Amino acid sequence: MIFKCQAGPRWARYYVGPIQLLVCYGAVVGSSLLGGQCMKTIYLLSDPVNEAMKLYHFVMIFGGLLLILAQIPSFHSLRHINLISLLLCLAYSTCATAGSIYVGSSSKAPPKDYSLKGDSVNRLFGVFTAIAIIATTFGNGIIPEIQATLAPPVKGKMFKGLSVYLQPTNELLERNFSDAKCAELSARNVIPRLISRTLSVALAVTIAAMLPFFGDINALIGAFGFMPLDFTLPVIFFNLTFRPSKRGSVFWLNPQ
């Protein structure tokens, strides 16, 4: 009876919608921190002795680049950036795989230690943290679907990919102060969009600089965002939509 009362528009607005926004905005925080960590790694490799610049400096630098990308009006303008992102991801995956194989099979590789550190309690928490991180890693594909449900029209958007994770949130919130009768690049729409997106990115970068724990942020997003969207809600919605018999195996095996 509880699910019957909560299903429908209210369910989507007060439960599913906030989780979707949490996932999208959390991805902005996580990507800002990851970008800063990558830039710091490159910096230390080029100059191992000089450690004058801290992690939050690189997070702020990456936030400046993110701020520029966030001003792209809509998803339709991201296809070229998506292509570059795809090529970079493929190159990174290829280099990481080749490097791992080389280090693993090389006789000059440093000694390997696969032992688990910490007591039993920390290991147990580590297991659940790892599960949440895995949910975040493999659940990123759901974000284009979130964008498609937040901002119509749906057609074609799910296949464009996603380079700026803040875009779904932008398109949803900007309905309140944009004017559809004016041109997309008119001052009436550009100025509010510039202010709102700048504030959103600035807040995300500030959070990333204050909480430099990429693994923990991933676990938080996975636990409260991707796991409900990927595993819990589909089961509930299936039972609510198709109403399988409680005496049948489908109803009881579906949550499994």
Side-chain angles (χ1 to χ4, degrees):
M1 294 299 295
I2 295 177
F3 291 145
K4 290 182 180 179
C5 295
Q6 292 181 340
R10 291 186 178 181
W11 176 282
R13 173 172 295 183
Y14 297 110
Y15 185 71
V16 179
I19 293 180
Q20 291 179 333
L21 293 178
L22 170 66
V23 166
C24 293
Y25 200 77
V28 179
V29 176
S31 62
S32 301
L33 179 55
L34 179 60
Q37 289 179 338
C38 293
M39 294 179 67
K40 181 181 179 181
T41 301
I42 297 174
Y43 169 75
L44 293 178
L45 289 175
S46 61
D47 190 1
V49 180
N50 189 1
E51 297 184 2
M53 296 187 67
K54 305 300 181 182
L55 176 59
Y56 68 89
H57 293 142
F58 294 100
V59 172
M60 294 173 63
I61 295 173
F62 186 84
L65 175 61
L66 189 63
L67 182 62
I68 297 175
L69 294 177
Q71 305 306 324
I72 296 176
S74 66
F75 270 84
H76 302 286
S77 306
L78 292 176
R79 57 187 180 275
H80 302 297
I81 298 178
N82 288 331
L83 177 60
I84 297 175
S85 300
L86 175 62
L87 296 177
L88 291 176
C89 288
L90 292 176
Y92 172 81
S93 300
T94 302
C95 293
T97 303
S100 300
I101 295 174
Y102 174 77
V103 172
S105 59
S106 176
S107 58
K108 299 180 181 180
K112 306 174 184 62
D113 183 12
Y114 299 105
S115 61
L116 298 177
K117 300 180 180 179
D119 54 21
S120 57
V121 175
N122 290 329
R123 292 181 183 180
L124 180 61
F125 278 103
V127 170
F128 289 106
T129 300
I131 293 174
I133 293 176
I134 292 173
T136 302
T137 303
F138 291 95
N140 273 279
I142 200 175
I143 293 185
E145 299 184 32
I146 293 175
Q147 191 276 336
T149 59
L150 288 178
V154 176
K155 183 178 180 181
K157 289 187 176 180
M158 289 173 58
F159 302 99
K160 290 183 179 295
L162 188 60
S163 293
V164 183
Y165 288 99
L166 195 58
Q167 202 78 8
T169 312
N170 291 335
E171 294 194 12
L172 177 65
L173 298 179
E174 288 170 6
R175 297 178 188 175
N176 299 323
F177 50 79
S178 62
D179 189 352
K181 297 180 180 179
C182 298
E184 185 179 51
L185 299 179
S186 63
R188 170 64 181 81
N189 289 327
V190 170
I191 295 176
R193 181 169 64 238
L194 177 64
I195 296 174
S196 64
R197 296 190 180 192
T198 300
L199 293 177
S200 297
V201 173
L203 178 60
V205 173
T206 301
I207 296 175
M210 293 173 59
L211 303 173
F213 311 104
F214 182 68
D216 294 334
I217 291 178
N218 267 338
L220 182 65
I221 298 174
F224 292 98
F226 285 107
M227 293 187 75
L229 289 177
D230 289 347
F231 303 106
T232 305
L233 293 179
V235 173
I236 296 175
F237 290 157
F238 179 88
N239 289 337
L240 288 173
T241 302
F242 298 100
R243 300 181 183 278
S245 175
K246 294 183 180 180
R247 298 180 179 180
S249 60
V250 175
F251 182 86
W252 296 105
L253 294 178
N254 185 34
Q256 305 299 327

